[in-house]
Amino acid sequence: MEITEENLRTLSNYLNQTLSPDPNVRRPSEKFLVSVEGNKNYPILLLQLINNEAIELTVRVAGAINFKNYVKRNWSVEEGGQDKIHEEDREKVKALIVDSMLVAPALIQKQLSDAVSIIGKSDFPSKWPGLMQNMVEKFSTGDFHIINGILHTAHSIFKRYRYEFKAQALWEEIKFVLDTFAKPLTDLLVATHNLTATHANNPEALRIIYSSLLLICKIFYSLNFQDLPEFFEDNMNTWMPLFHSLLTTDVPCLASDNDNEPGLMEQLRSQICFNLGLYAQKYDEEFRPFLPEFVTDIWNLLVSTGLQAKYDLLVSNALQFLSTVAERDHYRNLFQDPNVLSNICEKVIIPNVNFREIDEELFEDNPEEYMRRDIEGADVDTRRRAACDLVKVLAQHFDEQVSQIFSQFVLAMLNEYSMDNHKWRQKDTALYIVTCLAERGSTTKHGVTKTCAMVSLDEFAKNHILPELEKDVNILPVIKADTIKYLIKFRSVLPPQILIASLQNVIRHIVADNIVVRSYAACTIEKMLVVRHDAVLLITEQTLTPLAGDLLKSLFHSLTLRGSEENEYTMKAIMRSFSTLQESVVPYLAELLPTLTEKLAAVSRNPTKPHFNHYLFETITLSIRIVCKKNPGAVVNFEEALFPIFQTILQQDVQEFVPYVMQVLSLMLELHPDISPAYIALYPCLLAPGLWERQSNVRALAQLLRAYVRNADATQFQTTVRVNGLLGVFQKLIATRSNDHEGFNLIQCMMECCPNHELEPFMKQIFLLLFQRLSSSKTTKYVKGILVFFCFYVLKYGANNFIEIVDSIQPMMFAMIVDRLFIPDAQKISGKIERKIAIAGLAKMLSESKHLREKMYLQYWNVLTKILINMLELPVDETINPEEDFIVDVENMPGYEGTYNKLIYANKIEHDPVKALSNFAVSDTLYNSLSQPQVAHLKAILQ
């Protein structure tokens, strides 16, 4: 692609068309831009367009977004994957992008800054060593548009230090950054703070200056997160007084006029509290001289800050700082005075726990966000959560005093409510405080698991929870939601009779007018159905069947109510109800399944709720399993209902649903005695390279191919499921780190199910491919996979065959495999089936191989026996290759786009090849080498 005016105009036109609301115009343009991404000079042309002031700003912004997404998709190349960016383009981009970003308008600068950050994650510092120095030099320009652009970029690059795992490479990178960046950043802080006095009467200048200060404070947090750098420790006397000044100085002209949106001062003070919390938590000894002053500052801040939403993050971070301080034993004296405790409870905690008007607005106008915060744990930055955390910390050290103080407030608030239901906010606050006091330990799966002995949860439930649930489902919806949430939260510790007694009333609330109430009711049903008491399910099929009619009717009716058409809590409750009812749900399915398929057809037109859609597919696959368990032929009825919808999804390439469709197809195919014509017609499409290019499709496609392999007969292996095509897929899968395990799964399935004469001619080539990947890109995961493959091969074709095929590739190669793979890594094999295959394969090798009884490999009999004994006795070795990268890239986690999500119910009962392949006799010599417990363990595996 040449850099010409004509190409620039063409690119501009296509970018303009991507802004069209008409999908018939927009989608072809988007596909065209993706199709030309691999052309040389494409990113350079994009940067030229972005910098061209003659082009309309909206098109330039679209170009900047396209450039960022291009970099995000293509800059980092997985080992074995295709590099779509020419090396010359990479160098040009790195040479141009920083300067382009600094002169760009704000909207474009943000996108280019993010692109710099993405490139930096791959190339900085080793492939881009000049980046830091280039950025630091820009501080001397005095132009705050440029300085803030640099600071924003630095923040984007350094932010990953907050969540990356500790590693030598990370320490080296941070040291490199500190050596170049720490002193200029500190000098910039001092100089910028001095400008606040110089421009005290210039609001516009102050806005720019304080924006810089905010970014500097964010960068400070990132650079200090992993460990306390020596430079910052030596310069605490510079940073901490300035933090104190910024925390206590009021700049009215920067205060937000909007009660809901924080202004610069609120953001800056919030970030400083965040920074101080980090130091109090991790660098307590070094920070101790400064702490008392900051405790006073933050206390004064809390008691003087209003209840408006714009202060929420500030108050939350300030409360978290106090919680961190209160956790430390040597600061306990700051809180142990009864008057101090009483003041904290009354003046800080209760005001920040109270249900405000803004909370009520959120409850009514944005129920999804309310629920996300309230029961999904996304309230980490809210006042309530921070106040609750402070309650828990204080209760750990001063349990009796805190409980007595709050019990007085709780009793008073409950009495006010009992006398006047209009004072429902009082009961809401009381319920929240009781929950905070009672909780001592919890998990996402089980809710609260450890409680405070001073709070009687069952008595409180009988007196204040169950009576509310017996009232009209539509009165006082906030209190209804609170009481239902109480059952959700304490489900694992409340007496079973209370939960069962509440079940009928909870079902009534599934069709309440308020979305939050009916969602919480559905959530409670789902949670109750997995509660166990004494390792036994609380609610079984027998318990639920009498209520099934009302429950299913309410759940499906809820999906017709406005605002709940795609309610994930309701859909998950339906899935869980089907799972609990099992065959008892069959009488209802004739009426319910059409509703599910109609819902699937509707959401496939515009997928927007990923969790709802996942549970919808799970429910459909669960229905298939339940019905076909006794009548496999009924799968044809499901295919008649689902195939038209699936066909539309595949034809229109609904990326979010393609992996799901593949998994459901694999389940239905495995229920057939052979491969029916519809599946035969589909098969060639599954081998299309384009389908495999999308990572989200790979696991589901591989699962579907394995279903074909398991169901194909000898004729179909010659006419339809050809080994050549499957081996092409295997070769592609095995070449990449992310998919190599799917390659092993596929080839092992082929070895088990394909006729020997079909696969045997290719076996040596298969081994060669595996060894090539081993030598080019060895990872712990791959080594475990290849060891299981070796043992699987032994089980299928015999030990002598295995040693001979390996040695045919290179003389004495079996010895190298034992020395370099089995000895160091066999104990790392994990997974129940994988470990069984390895143990059975080793046992067969030791029992049958003539080579291990001959001179050449005689010495390895004892070596392999020791490995087998270790696998029978010792736990899995979970160490990994230190060179491997297991860092989770939080910034690049996908939103709602096509991703693979495993459908639990679409996977048939785990296949155990050991049962089918371990038809050999363990030799007496091997049995004599094992202890009696080891013999028993081995026999159990082989049976």
Side-chain angles (χ1 to χ4, degrees), residues 892-905:
N892 286 337
M893 286 293 190
Y896 194 18
E897 54 190 51
T899 57
Y900 173 84
N901 287 291
K902 182 178 180 180
L903 290 173
I904 302 300
Y905 297 116

Side-chain angles (χ1 to χ4, degrees), residues 198 253 526 561 874 904:
T198 306
C253 66
E526 188 273 321
L561 299 177
L874 301 179
I904 302 300

Side-chain angles (χ1 to χ4, degrees), residues 169-215:
L170 179 64
W171 297 132
E172 291 173 359
E173 180 179 330
I174 293 175
K175 184 180 185 307
F176 175 82
V177 169
L178 290 167
D179 290 345
T180 313
F181 206 81
K183 187 178 188 309
L185 184 72
T186 305
D187 294 342
L188 182 65
L189 170 72
V190 174
T192 307
H193 184 267
N194 291 338
L195 289 174
T196 61
T198 306
H199 297 280
N201 298 318
N202 186 342
E204 209 48 52
L206 287 176
R207 189 168 302 280
I208 296 171
I209 291 166
Y210 274 87
S211 295
S212 297
L213 291 169
L214 174 60
L215 286 166

Side-chain angles (χ1 to χ4, degrees), residues 728-743:
V729 173
F730 160 74
Q731 183 174 357
K732 182 177 177 62
L733 293 173
I734 213 71
T736 60
R737 289 187 178 199
S738 57
N739 299 322
D740 50 24
H741 60 290
E742 292 297 343

